[in-house]
Amino acid sequence: MVKIYGIKNCDTMKKAFAWLQENGIAFELQDYKKGALTAALASQWISVLGLEAIINKRGTTYRKLDETQKAALENPASAVDIMLAEPSLIKRPLLEANGKQLLGFSQDSYQAFFKS
Protein backbone atom coordinates (compact mmCIF):
# COMPACT_ATOMS: atom_id res chain seq x y z
CA MET A 1 0.00 0.00 0.00
CA VAL A 2 1.22 3.46 -0.88
CA LYS A 3 1.34 5.85 2.06
CA ILE A 4 1.27 9.57 1.57
CA TYR A 5 2.34 11.70 4.52
CA GLY A 6 1.35 15.30 4.92
CA ILE A 7 -1.54 17.57 5.83
CA LYS A 8 -4.89 16.89 4.20
CA ASN A 9 -5.79 20.47 3.32
CA CYS A 10 -2.46 21.39 1.74
CA ASP A 11 -2.78 22.41 -1.93
CA THR A 12 0.24 20.36 -2.98
CA MET A 13 -1.20 17.35 -1.20
CA LYS A 14 -4.45 17.80 -3.13
CA LYS A 15 -2.49 17.76 -6.41
CA ALA A 16 -0.76 14.54 -5.33
CA PHE A 17 -4.09 12.94 -4.34
CA ALA A 18 -5.56 13.84 -7.74
CA TRP A 19 -2.56 12.41 -9.60
CA LEU A 20 -2.68 9.16 -7.63
CA GLN A 21 -6.44 8.81 -8.20
CA GLU A 22 -6.16 9.61 -11.93
CA ASN A 23 -3.48 6.93 -12.26
CA GLY A 24 -5.44 4.29 -10.34
CA ILE A 25 -3.00 4.10 -7.46
CA ALA A 26 -4.55 3.26 -4.11
CA PHE A 27 -3.09 5.22 -1.21
CA GLU A 28 -3.50 5.80 2.48
CA LEU A 29 -3.18 9.31 3.91
CA GLN A 30 -1.00 9.63 6.99
CA ASP A 31 -1.86 13.07 8.36
CA TYR A 32 0.98 14.73 10.31
CA LYS A 33 -1.49 16.62 12.43
CA LYS A 34 -3.48 13.52 13.37
CA GLY A 35 -0.71 11.50 14.95
CA ALA A 36 0.91 9.88 11.91
CA LEU A 37 4.30 11.43 12.72
CA THR A 38 6.52 9.70 15.27
CA ALA A 39 10.05 10.40 16.40
CA ALA A 40 11.22 7.14 14.85
CA LEU A 41 9.65 8.00 11.50
CA ALA A 42 11.05 11.54 11.49
CA SER A 43 14.52 10.18 12.32
CA GLN A 44 14.27 7.62 9.54
CA TRP A 45 13.31 10.27 6.98
CA ILE A 46 16.19 12.48 8.08
CA SER A 47 18.66 9.61 7.69
CA VAL A 48 17.31 8.59 4.25
CA LEU A 49 16.38 11.94 2.67
CA GLY A 50 18.55 14.35 4.63
CA LEU A 51 17.63 17.08 7.05
CA GLU A 52 18.00 19.86 4.49
CA ALA A 53 15.46 18.17 2.19
CA ILE A 54 12.90 17.47 4.92
CA ILE A 55 12.55 20.94 6.44
CA ASN A 56 10.44 23.46 4.51
CA LYS A 57 12.32 26.70 5.04
CA ARG A 58 10.03 28.63 2.70
CA GLY A 59 6.85 28.17 4.72
CA THR A 60 5.23 30.42 7.28
CA THR A 61 5.83 27.90 10.08
CA TYR A 62 9.59 28.15 9.58
CA ARG A 63 9.48 31.94 9.41
CA LYS A 64 7.63 32.05 12.74
CA LEU A 65 10.38 30.12 14.55
CA ASP A 66 12.80 32.08 16.69
CA GLU A 67 16.52 32.03 15.88
CA THR A 68 17.25 29.43 18.57
CA GLN A 69 14.73 27.01 17.05
CA LYS A 70 16.04 27.64 13.54
CA ALA A 71 19.56 26.88 14.73
CA ALA A 72 18.32 23.71 16.45
CA LEU A 73 16.99 22.48 13.10
CA GLU A 74 20.59 22.00 11.99
CA ASN A 75 20.95 19.10 14.46
CA PRO A 76 19.01 15.93 13.55
CA ALA A 77 18.15 15.04 17.17
CA SER A 78 16.75 18.45 18.06
CA ALA A 79 15.14 18.76 14.62
CA VAL A 80 13.02 15.69 15.36
CA ASP A 81 11.62 17.35 18.48
CA ILE A 82 10.80 20.51 16.55
CA MET A 83 9.24 18.50 13.71
CA LEU A 84 6.99 16.73 16.19
CA ALA A 85 5.94 20.03 17.76
CA GLU A 86 5.54 21.80 14.39
CA PRO A 87 4.67 19.16 11.76
CA SER A 88 3.92 21.88 9.18
CA LEU A 89 7.71 22.34 8.95
CA ILE A 90 8.01 19.09 7.02
CA LYS A 91 7.93 19.35 3.25
CA ARG A 92 5.00 17.56 1.74
CA PRO A 93 3.84 15.31 0.42
CA LEU A 94 6.15 12.53 1.44
CA LEU A 95 5.28 9.40 -0.50
CA GLU A 96 6.31 5.96 0.69
CA ALA A 97 5.98 2.78 -1.36
CA ASN A 98 7.97 -0.41 -1.77
CA GLY A 99 10.55 0.70 0.78
CA LYS A 100 11.28 3.95 -1.09
CA GLN A 101 10.42 7.56 -0.31
CA LEU A 102 9.71 10.52 -2.54
CA LEU A 103 9.47 14.05 -1.20
CA GLY A 104 7.41 16.75 -2.89
CA PHE A 105 5.12 16.52 -5.87
CA SER A 106 5.54 16.84 -9.59
CA GLN A 107 3.87 14.75 -12.26
CA ASP A 108 7.26 13.78 -13.71
CA SER A 109 8.69 12.64 -10.38
CA TYR A 110 5.56 10.60 -9.59
CA GLN A 111 5.60 8.94 -13.01
CA ALA A 112 9.27 8.02 -12.59
CA PHE A 113 8.70 6.81 -9.01
CA PHE A 114 5.94 4.41 -10.00
CA LYS A 115 7.71 3.14 -13.11
CA SER A 116 10.80 2.05 -11.17
Side-chain angles (χ1 to χ4, degrees), residues 27-92:
F27 64 91
E28 180 180 290
L29 171 63
Q30 302 291 311
D31 195 316
Y32 293 151
K33 293 190 175 187
K34 296 193 177 178
L37 183 63
T38 65
L41 197 54
S43 294
Q44 175 191 359
W45 292 341
I46 289 169
S47 68
V48 171
L49 300 167
L51 188 53
E52 191 64 33
I54 293 290
I55 302 300
N56 179 8
K57 292 185 177 178
R58 289 190 261 162
T60 56
T61 303
Y62 180 81
R63 289 192 297 266
K64 289 179 183 178
L65 296 177
D66 64 37
E67 293 307 313
T68 304
Q69 290 172 307
K70 288 178 182 177
L73 285 172
E74 302 301 318
N75 176 307
S78 58
V80 168
D81 293 335
I82 297 171
M83 289 165 63
L84 291 171
E86 299 287 349
S88 295
L89 277 172
I90 304 168
K91 286 185 186 172
R92 49 195 182 269

Side-chain angles (χ1 to χ4, degrees), residues 12 16 22 36 40 48 78 81 95 100 104:
T12 306
E22 288 167 10
V48 171
S78 58
D81 293 335
L95 194 67
K100 299 183 299 181

